[in-house]
Amino acid sequence: MLRKMLLGVALLGLSGMATANPYEHKLANGLKVIVKEDPRAPVAVSQIWYRAGSMDEVNGTTGVAHVLEHMMFKGTRKVPAGQFSKIIAEAGGRENAFTNHDYTAYFQQLQVDNLPLAFKLEADRMANLVLTEREFSKEIKVVMEERRMRTDDNPQSLVYEQLNAVAFGAHPYRHPVIGWMNDLENMRVEDARAWYQRWYAPNNATLVVVGDVKHDAVFRLAQKHFGALKPHALPPRKPQLEPQQRGIKEVTVKAPAKLPYVVMAYRTPVLRDAAGDWEPYALDILAGVLDGHPAARLNQSLVRESRLANEVGTGYSAISRGPGLFMIEGTPSEGKSVAELKQGIRAEIAKLQRDGVSEEELQRVKAQVVAAQVYQRDSMFYQGMLIGQMESSGMSWRDEKTLLQKLNDVTADQVREVARKYLQDDGLTIAALDPQPLETKQPSRSLTGERHAH
């Protein structure tokens, strides 16, 4: 449920780009093109990132960013509905898309000779998407069924959804990316069309290419296919700051399940100034101390020793457009309660706040982050993801050296300081699953139309 990707892993995954690679070029229409040359195999990953996610939605149309993502596969005048995926598949490639609170992205992985095909298709649907009532009425049903399967029928997903709804009182992170069901039921094709017209423009997009390519050739190719697209004025983005929290918030979710489940989320900062900030880096190391490896503190104490939990983990992302949460999740062992597990988690936090982190433990966590880098860098797709996430969240891939250095500069005292400052009840939201008797399993519902991973 919670994202396990540490910022440190992400940043170190970019460290191989520190020489003259990647390369950046901006077209006259505002489209930013970033190329990472990686000649290990004759393939390329092409990703187009739009800086428009669910946090840009307004009440009554939650989920529209994700719905439009689905509709982007429903055709243009040149490429009829269903043909985009077929054309890529016939070229031996694969494609998909995903929507986040902060952005929406589309990608293709294919032989490098077919990169012009990916550019041609993406440029076409950036400007020429045809949104019809017929296709929308079919696809909105697919999205509603996706919500039922991934959230309504998944008790942990329901807990996570309610956690965000309670933790954020004003910020749009309180809305689920997939949208509230009532909004989906009442959504119209005009809502999707307005979203497309508002946000889908070259001056609100970043094109990322990683693979066996030459950057100057990719820049020329981007100019050929995207250069003629017209930019347009983007709506002003208001700050949407979350008010100060003034005490514990708690919510209980009743749903059919075998075991209870709990998430404890603490309000924390995220990166806004790569060089000036230090707390997000320390929070990232803190996440590694608690849950960075099988012998980390929470797993060692609560799963192996006291057997309070079947599993326990942390989640923190320092790179985002909105406010941050440091999360600790867990499933109590059979016969143990959520209250007992919460008490065990609190005890581990108090121990860390009191005694801090040894230099040996700190160095071990950093070394594990570095080890993870080796695996991450094997993936061209992941290299592109890191660039796209940073660019779409208001940062730059050029911050990489600064970020890496700041992460490596984190001290044991800083880890204890952020634990003391932020893992406090006044900034805490707790969401717990109260398991209800499991119902007789019903025949699975079938989906119609295309489905894409998000």
Side-chain angles (χ1 to χ4, degrees), residues 60-132:
T61 60
T62 64
V64 69
H66 174 244
V67 170
L68 195 277
E69 177 212 311
H70 277 243
M71 294 303 297
M72 284 286 281
F73 293 87
K74 295 306 174 183
T76 66
R77 290 184 295 274
K78 295 179 180 179
V79 183
Q83 290 300 302
F84 188 105
S85 300
K86 182 179 179 181
I87 291 171
I88 294 295
E90 289 176 347
R94 56 183 293 262
E95 47 70 43
N96 218 314
F98 47 91
T99 305
N100 181 278
H101 280 113
D102 297 338
Y103 48 74
T104 308
Y106 305 83
F107 68 87
Q108 298 84 40
Q109 294 175 281
L110 28 63
Q111 292 292 313
V112 68
D113 291 345
N114 288 320
L115 189 60
L117 175 64
F119 279 21
K120 179 181 178 181
L121 292 171
E122 284 292 7
D124 181 35
R125 67 178 177 178
M126 180 184 282
N128 303 312
L129 186 67
V130 175
L131 289 160
T132 66

Side-chain angles (χ1 to χ4, degrees), residues 3 12 15 25 34 39 69 80 84 107 125 139 155 182 214 234 276 295 340 342 395 406 416 442 444:
R3 286 179 291 181
L12 283 164
S15 64
H25 175 67
I34 302 172
E69 177 212 311
F84 188 105
F107 68 87
R125 67 178 177 178
E139 201 62 26
N182 183 252
K214 297 297 182 183
L234 300 172
E340 290 173 301
K342 287 193 296 185
M395 303 190 71
K406 295 281 286 187
R416 180 168 62 173
Q442 299 296 319
S444 60

Side-chain angles (χ1 to χ4, degrees), residues 1 151-160 162-163 250-264 330-332 336-339 341-342 430-438:
M1 173 63 65
T151 302
D152 297 342
D153 294 344
N154 184 323
Q156 290 193 2
S157 294
L158 285 173
V159 171
Y160 188 66
Q162 287 299 307
L163 173 83
E250 295 193 60
V251 60
T252 299
V253 177
K254 292 184 176 182
K258 291 182 179 181
L259 295 171
Y261 170 72
V262 64
V263 186
M264 302 171 65
T331 301
K336 301 295 184 180
S337 68
V338 163
L341 179 53
K342 287 193 296 185
I430 302 173
L433 172 64
D434 181 3
Q436 304 298 298
L438 291 169

Side-chain angles (χ1 to χ4, degrees), residues 12 16 82 161 184 261 287 319 341 349 363 374 382 391 415:
L12 283 164
E161 180 176 88
L184 297 176
Y261 170 72
I319 298 179
L341 179 53
I349 291 173
Q363 295 306 319
V374 177
Y382 192 76
E391 290 288 331
V415 174

Side-chain angles (χ1 to χ4, degrees), residues 316-447:
Y316 172 69
S317 178
I319 298 179
S320 70
R321 288 170 57 197
L325 290 177
F326 187 101
M327 302 190 193
I328 302 175
E329 62 166 350
T331 301
S333 301
E334 191 168 356
K336 301 295 184 180
S337 68
V338 163
E340 290 173 301
L341 179 53
K342 287 193 296 185
Q343 184 177 2
I345 292 172
R346 287 178 182 275
E348 286 302 310
I349 291 173
K351 181 180 178 182
L352 193 152
Q353 291 171 330
R354 181 184 68 247
D355 301 333
V357 180
S358 70
E359 191 63 31
E360 179 184 1
E361 184 177 15
L362 178 67
Q363 295 306 319
R364 185 168 63 247
V365 169
K366 290 181 180 180
Q368 285 153 353
V369 171
V370 173
Q373 167 216 6
V374 177
Y375 175 77
Q376 304 286 7
R377 288 178 61 195
D378 280 343
S379 168
M380 291 183 184
F381 180 80
Y382 192 76
Q383 291 179 49
M385 282 284 296
L386 297 175
I387 296 171
Q389 286 174 339
M390 293 178 69
E391 290 288 331
S392 299
S393 299
M395 303 190 71
S396 168
W397 61 266
R398 289 186 175 87
D399 292 327
E400 176 265 323
K401 285 185 179 180
T402 300
L403 300 178
L404 179 59
Q405 185 60 53
K406 295 281 286 187
L407 183 73
N408 288 328
D409 287 345
V410 170
T411 67
D413 286 342
Q414 288 176 329
V415 174
R416 180 168 62 173
E417 185 173 342
V418 293
R420 287 175 170 176
K421 182 176 181 179
Y422 293 108
L423 303 192
Q424 296 288 347
D425 285 355
D426 282 350
L428 173 62
T429 300
I430 302 173
L433 172 64
D434 181 3
Q436 304 298 298
L438 291 169
E439 302 169 352
T440 303
K441 188 172 180 63
Q442 299 296 319
S444 60
R445 293 179 281 259
S446 61
L447 287 177

